[in-house]
Amino acid sequence: MTIRILLADDQALLRTTFRMLIEANLDLEVVGEAADGEEAVALTRAHHPDIVLMDIRMPGVNGLAATAAICADPSLSTTRVLILTTFETDEYVAQALRAGAGGFLGKDVSADALLDGIRTVAAGDALLSPTATRALITRFLTTLEPDAPPAERLTALTTREREVMALAADGRSNSEIAHHLVVSPLTVRTHIQRAMTKLRARDRTQLVVIAYQTGLVRPQPSR
């Protein structure tokens, strides 16, 4: 099955580079290009891509606002946003994740890591978690906002659902969680889906955000 991708970046040369890299793979296809957030939202609504590869700093409507608009649109519930950013300077990443972005990568990412990231987010399998990403998530998502969900929300979950949710928040894939708990990946997926339903999480990424915000997962030293 082909993964359909929309590129959103204000740098035409970078979009061209990404297009060439992506379309060299038979399972990936670029369906459109946007130079700002407003165009990204419009083209996403027009083409319903599987993935929007979103730059967060663009003129006019930025990638953060565009991500929020895309993720809040019920008609785009199957579209995932993958943010491209600079780890050390872009503090908007946490807000993008809270808005529903499926993950993020640094713009200095290798070609293979970018392609793997696209496939991972398209599959809805896990929040991307290399060392720098884990450190950034820990730094920002553990800072509670005024409207952060209280820990009481977790009382709706079973003990096993909370355990699986915590492991997912640690960046583990379904297969890794299954191996750790000595259960099948299908069982893990079922627990994840039930937790998402109970907590009204749009996707796995928002489930991870809730895990941090409610204190189910505490900051760990970057590894």
Side-chain angles (χ1 to χ4, degrees):
M1 183 169 57
T2 301
I3 299 172
R4 302 170 69 253
I5 302 159
L6 176 73
L7 303 177
D9 196 294
D10 61 330
Q11 298 182 50
L13 180 58
L14 197 54
R15 294 199 308 272
T16 299
T17 300
F18 286 149
R19 176 183 281 273
M20 293 174 62
L21 172 64
I22 289 168
E23 294 194 332
N25 297 267
L26 295 178
D27 64 327
L28 306 177
E29 174 190 6
V30 174
V31 297
E33 297 183 20
D36 58 48
E38 183 177 3
E39 188 177 16
V41 174
L43 290 178
T44 299
R45 288 173 174 156
H47 296 291
H48 289 262
D50 300 302
I51 292 289
V52 178
L53 198 59
M54 182 82 75
D55 180 18
I56 208 160
R57 291 180 174 175
M58 294 183 287
V61 177
N62 64 24
L64 175 61
T67 296
I70 290 169
C71 294
D73 190 334
S75 70
L76 300 176
S77 61
T78 61
T79 296
R80 297 287 178 259
V81 177
L82 175 56
I83 298 290
L84 288 178
T85 186
T86 303
F87 286 130
E88 296 180 354
T89 61
D90 204 334
E91 299 188 3
Y92 293 120
V93 171
Q95 296 177 55
L97 291 175
R98 292 187 183 106
F104 58 93
L105 289 171
K107 282 197 171 181
D108 59 350
V109 67
S110 69
D112 287 343
L114 175 61
L115 297 174
D116 287 345
I118 289 172
R119 294 183 179 107
T120 297
V121 174
D125 183 45
L127 187 68
L128 304 178
S129 56
T131 301
T133 306
R134 185 189 301 278
L136 193 61
I137 292 169
T138 300
R139 178 182 174 189
F140 294 116
L141 295 190
T142 53
T143 302
L144 294 177
E145 296 182 344
D147 60 348
E152 287 75 15
R153 285 185 67 182
L154 300 180
T155 59
L157 304 183
T158 65
T159 299
R160 179 63 84 177
E161 286 165 354
R162 287 195 295 271
E163 186 176 15
V164 170
M165 182 175 169
L167 291 170
D170 191 46
R172 304 196 196 191
S173 68
N174 284 355
S175 296
E176 290 170 333
I177 296 173
H179 179 74
H180 179 78
L181 298 178
V182 195
V183 297
S184 72
L186 179 59
T187 297
V188 173
R189 182 177 293 275
T190 298
H191 287 309
I192 290 288
Q193 291 175 339
R194 287 177 179 170
M196 286 169 52
T197 298
K198 291 178 180 180
L199 297 175
R200 298 181 181 179
R202 180 179 186 269
D203 53 26
R204 188 187 184 102
T205 301
Q206 286 198 333
L207 193 68
V208 169
V209 171
I210 293 171
Y212 277 94
Q213 290 182 324
T214 58
L216 178 65
V217 177
R218 298 293 182 182
Q220 298 294 326
S222 56
R223 294 180 256 186

